[in-house]
Amino acid sequence: MTKCDLLIRDTAAMTDYETIKTGMDIAVEGGRILSVTKSGTKKFQTEKVISGKDRLFMPGLTDSHMHTGQQLLKGLVLDAKPIIWTRVMLPFESTLTSEKMKLSAETAALEMIKSGTTAFVDAGSYFMEEAAAVYEKSGLRGCLSCSTMDEKGLPESIAMDAVQAVRETDKLYDKWNGKGNLKVYYAIRALNSCSDELVELAAAHAKERSTMLQAHMNEYQGEVDGIIQREGMRPYEYLEKKGVLSDRFLGAHSLLLSESEKELIRERGIKLCHCPFSNCGKAVPDTPDLIKKGVIPGFGSDGAAHGGLSLWNEMRIFRSLMNIYYGVPSRDPKIMPAETLFRMMYEGGAAAVDEAGQCGKLETGYRADMIGIKLESGRLIPSGNLLHTMFECAEAGDVQEMIVGGKILMENREVKTLDEERICFEAQEYMRKAGVL
């Protein structure tokens, strides 16, 4: 008889991005997967059993790029005049308070748990210690940054020089890195908003601490043109000149890439992330070519302001975009099959949270980060190919269980680590005060 902390009995299991096995037992011990075996072939002694009779357990989803500080902007970005960063988002972030950030983090954590996102990368905002406290309590696997900019003309409440900007991340790192399931990354918010000094300092501090450095990259044509005008070279080429690029660099968006930049990304082992719904109004990335080069981007929501935090929607939007832009002209209906998209979610996502080889599979030794999907749903049955049905039809509301590092965060849609009723009440009160209700 084998001892374990948790046993999921007689379930369908999506063990990786292309394999579903039925009638399986998943044993968890010490926060990791102990075994995935045919149900009944191995005896286990455990205090906690979850019945998988009408469930499909699969690796949790990873949001490789989100913004906690923009959670309260939900509904205020759609159809706004460009550029929404300077017109809407930056002014809003400059008004954040510790109370607003706590509510932002609570509603974001709740939304991620309820929609199946077990891990995430926050691109950086303000009052991040308040967010960190919430995320530690939630049990989610999170990578946090401070907003790091030093350009002239920023609102007084968020204006800082390069040394001060990096010092804020130092403080966050010293207090929160390694606490619970949290890590702290350094960030260059956007190259156009950062001096050479800030780029060099942020990169040096990240290297000293062996953590990741992240940045918004090649998102807008105007952004790319601005760096070319300022530096005489494209964004990734500029960072290569500064000695910043490595396999511990995460480039969010990365839409408008030259051939030389794609080669730099491949050679340096850089991690990428696309944010389909947010990116649709900006550019279409050449993801098929990146994948041919061995570069597997992850998926990001870009924060709730861009359509919520559900990654199920992002994957489907991305497939449609790839099909119409690349598949139709080349007459290739499988330009981006479901298996490749799940591979991006799992492999690209694990790379973004610096857990490559640790997350994204239900295999012995991997972290026990998984979600349970209720199969007895009109959307999901009958099915001739369950993996494809998961991609085409599954939604946030189908997620019943969430387990992160072996800890149950949600069971039968009941969140165990956060007070859902209080958070929803406070969010409603926020909306009433804002005149929305």
Side-chain angles (χ1 to χ4, degrees), residues 237-313:
E237 294 168 344
Y238 162 68
L239 291 183
E240 171 70 1
K241 178 185 175 184
K242 304 296 288 183
V244 167
L245 298 181
S246 74
D247 60 357
R248 299 185 73 79
F249 184 88
L250 173 61
H253 303 296
S254 296
L255 306 175
L256 298 156
L257 299 173
S258 67
E259 290 303 315
S260 65
E261 286 179 300
K262 285 190 280 187
E263 279 304 305
L264 274 176
I265 289 165
R266 183 189 64 80
E267 290 171 5
R268 296 285 178 258
I270 291 164
K271 313 305 187 287
L272 298 186
C273 164
H274 300 322
C275 303
F277 186 61
S278 170
N279 291 165
C280 276
K282 301 163 188 173
V284 179
D286 192 359
T287 313
D289 190 49
L290 287 169
I291 291 174
K292 286 178 184 177
K293 295 178 184 296
V295 178
I296 310 297
F299 285 113
S301 65
D302 208 10
H306 291 287
L309 301 181
S310 173
L311 294 170
W312 304 98
N313 297 333

Side-chain angles (χ1 to χ4, degrees), residues 73 76-77 80-81 83-93:
L73 276 173
L76 297 176
V77 169
K81 290 183 179 180
I83 297 177
I84 58 173
W85 164 241
T86 54
R87 287 178 178 269
V88 181
M89 291 176 167
L90 184 60
F92 176 81
E93 286 197 32

Side-chain angles (χ1 to χ4, degrees), residues 28 41 45-46 53 78 115 126 155 164 195 214 221 264 268 285 287 297 320 351 378 386 432:
V28 175
T41 59
Q45 181 182 341
T46 183
K53 184 178 179 182
L78 189 67
S115 61
Y126 307 95
Q164 183 184 358
S195 66
Q214 62 171 320
Q221 188 63 55
L264 274 176
R268 296 285 178 258
T287 313
S320 297
L386 198 50
R432 289 189 185 95

Side-chain angles (χ1 to χ4, degrees), residues 4-50:
C4 64
D5 297 326
L6 169 67
L7 179 65
I8 302 165
R9 181 174 288 154
D10 195 18
T11 187
M14 183 175 170
T15 54
D16 56 30
Y17 59 83
E18 59 183 3
T19 307
I20 290 181
K21 301 176 181 178
T22 58
M24 306 302 291
D25 288 346
I26 305 172
V28 175
E29 174 71 17
R32 293 183 179 267
I33 295 171
L34 180 63
S35 64
V36 182
T37 55
K38 201 67 179 174
S39 186
T41 59
K42 198 172 183 179
K43 300 285 187 180
F44 294 97
Q45 181 182 341
T46 183
E47 293 184 0
K48 179 62 179 178
V49 176
I50 294 177

Side-chain angles (χ1 to χ4, degrees), residues 245-437:
L245 298 181
S246 74
D247 60 357
R248 299 185 73 79
F249 184 88
L250 173 61
H253 303 296
S254 296
L255 306 175
L256 298 156
L257 299 173
S258 67
E259 290 303 315
S260 65
E261 286 179 300
K262 285 190 280 187
E263 279 304 305
L264 274 176
I265 289 165
R266 183 189 64 80
E267 290 171 5
R268 296 285 178 258
I270 291 164
K271 313 305 187 287
L272 298 186
C273 164
H274 300 322
C275 303
F277 186 61
S278 170
N279 291 165
C280 276
K282 301 163 188 173
V284 179
D286 192 359
T287 313
D289 190 49
L290 287 169
I291 291 174
K292 286 178 184 177
K293 295 178 184 296
V295 178
I296 310 297
F299 285 113
S301 65
D302 208 10
H306 291 287
L309 301 181
S310 173
L311 294 170
W312 304 98
N313 297 333
E314 298 292 344
M315 286 193 291
R316 284 196 281 269
I317 289 167
F318 192 71
R319 177 182 166 93
S320 297
L321 182 65
M322 291 292 103
N323 279 351
I324 195 66
Y325 197 84
Y326 294 110
V328 171
S330 64
R331 298 185 179 181
D332 181 2
K334 292 183 66 176
I335 192 73
M336 198 64 64
E339 290 80 0
T340 298
L341 292 153
F342 276 125
R343 183 184 182 191
M344 289 173 63
M345 175 60 68
Y346 293 140
E347 286 191 17
V353 297
D354 201 20
E355 292 284 343
Q358 301 289 315
C359 291
K361 291 184 180 181
L362 302 188
E363 286 188 6
T364 300
Y366 274 66
R367 296 195 189 278
D369 294 3
M370 64 186 99
I371 55 177
I373 307 295
K374 185 176 182 179
L375 293 178
E376 292 180 358
S377 164
R379 280 191 301 276
L380 303 180
I381 57 173
S383 171
N385 183 317
L386 198 50
L387 187 144
H388 287 184
T389 299
M390 284 301 105
F391 180 85
E392 293 175 307
C393 304
E395 296 180 358
D398 297 316
V399 180
Q400 301 294 307
E401 282 80 33
M402 175 176 287
I403 299 163
V404 178
K407 181 180 179 180
I408 299 173
L409 309 192
M410 181 171 69
E411 187 173 7
N412 291 319
R413 293 292 289 174
E414 179 186 351
V415 178
K416 302 291 188 179
T417 56
L418 298 173
D419 187 339
E420 181 175 2
E421 185 177 358
R422 177 189 60 78
I423 293 169
C424 290
F425 174 79
E426 291 182 4
Q428 295 273 19
E429 286 298 297
Y430 175 84
M431 292 167 67
R432 289 189 185 95
K433 290 177 182 177
V436 178
L437 294 179

